[in-house]
Amino acid sequence: GAVVSQHPSRVICKSGTSVKIECRSLDFQATTMFWYRQFPKQSLMLMATSNEGSKATYEQGVEKDKFLINHASLTLSTLTVTSAHPEDSSFYICSALNRGGGEKLFFGSGTQLSVL
Amino acid sequence: AQSVTQPDIHITVSEGASLELRCNYSYGATPYLFWYVQSPGQGLQLLLKYFSGDTLVQGIKGFEAEFKRSQSSFNLRKPSVHWSDAAEYFCAVAGGFGNEKLTFGTGTRLTIIP
């Protein structure tokens, strides 16, 4: 089946630094990808919709200047957490939409971000 | 706006016992409904989904779910749980074909006791 690779799986960084998370669709083209974040013991909250070749669409309350999304190719979307702070520590998960037949939405394995 | 409620935060069942996880949704039209499972530190794995047709859907790992429009529910069931089923389970709703943005419930943590 279709696979979505998310990297890194875990990252620890110092406060004030930037962290980039990659989401790749390995065997299908994904013009649309989604980024979610999940706080401990809470549900996944959609942050933004990433569209290949155009600007991302952010959900209400998500700072677009802090969470930079780039979807420069049909198989790769990146989320950059800029000037990270401890409150940005969270589990980030991407999903990629396969507009071909069959199963449509595939999730990455997530990235645990810890900001010290 | 669509929403999902999972009333049970944590459920504990004995291995071999039956399981039912509750999910209620709110959406103005016929929703697309999903159940996902998440193991600790992992991403999400789709168990099953409902788009249309037969309201009883079969999924992987022996799970099934029944869509009941009159009750706005999509409860997940398994006749006999295994220790490996211990995980977090999320119900989700999408706004219909072409709207793949999912709204998730808060999840139900399943603990299996021997």
Side-chain angles (χ1 to χ4, degrees):
Chain A
V3 176
V4 172
S5 173
Q6 188 172 340
H7 178 80
S9 58
R10 183 178 296 273
V11 58
I12 301 172
C13 69
K14 293 182 179 179
S15 184
T17 61
S18 294
V19 174
K20 180 184 287 187
I21 302 170
E22 294 186 347
C23 182
R24 295 181 184 272
S25 57
L26 297 185
D27 53 0
F28 66 95
Q29 294 181 333
T31 56
T32 303
M33 293 186 178
F34 302 94
W35 287 96
Y36 293 83
R37 68 186 297 180
Q38 182 183 28
F39 291 106
K41 301 186 185 302
Q42 296 187 28
S43 186
L44 291 86
M45 299 298 294
L46 180 65
M47 299 175 65
T49 303
S50 171
N51 302 296
E52 186 270 335
S54 64
K55 292 183 179 180
T57 304
Y58 290 81
E59 296 299 304
Q60 189 174 8
V62 178
E63 299 176 62
K64 59 181 66 176
D65 294 330
K66 180 168 188 61
F67 299 100
L68 299 180
I69 291 173
N70 184 283
H71 196 154
S73 79
L74 288 171
T75 59
L76 174 65
S77 175
T78 60
L79 168 67
T80 300
V81 183
T82 63
S83 186
H85 289 281
E87 57 265 31
D88 298 324
S89 299
S90 186
F91 193 61
Y92 294 86
I93 304 178
C94 71
S95 65
L97 180 62
N98 181 6
R99 296 193 184 276
E103 180 55 42
K104 285 197 167 294
L105 199 61
F106 299 91
F107 282 83
S109 55
T111 297
Q112 182 63 55
L113 171 63
S114 299
V115 184
L116 304 179
Chain B
Q2 59 210 45
S3 66
V4 177
T5 301
Q6 292 180 249
D8 304 306
I9 297 174
H10 184 202
I11 284 182
T12 300
V13 298
S14 299
E15 189 169 15
S18 63
L19 171 71
E20 182 169 31
L21 302 182
R22 295 184 290 166
C23 172
N24 292 97
Y25 69 89
S26 174
Y27 184 67
T30 300
Y32 285 10
L33 294 160
F34 307 79
W35 273 101
Y36 286 89
V37 60
Q38 183 183 35
S39 297
Q42 299 294 312
L44 299 176
Q45 182 180 23
L46 179 67
L47 289 175
L48 47 77
K49 61 182 183 290
Y50 171 78
F51 286 174
S52 65
D54 192 348
T55 56
L56 182 63
V57 293
Q58 303 297 321
I60 62 172
K61 304 184 179 185
F63 285 94
E64 66 177 26
E66 186 171 12
F67 171 60
K68 293 185 177 180
R69 183 189 302 275
S70 61
Q71 299 177 20
S72 296
S73 69
F74 189 57
N75 294 348
L76 181 71
R77 301 194 294 251
K78 186 169 184 178
S80 177
V81 297
H82 186 262
W83 63 267
S84 60
D85 293 324
E88 190 90 18
Y89 291 81
F90 291 96
C91 181
V93 62
F97 188 80
N99 178 5
E100 294 84 5
K101 293 195 296 186
L102 299 184
T103 298
F104 286 86
T106 50
T108 297
R109 183 161 61 93
L110 176 63
T111 298
I112 308 295
I113 55 177

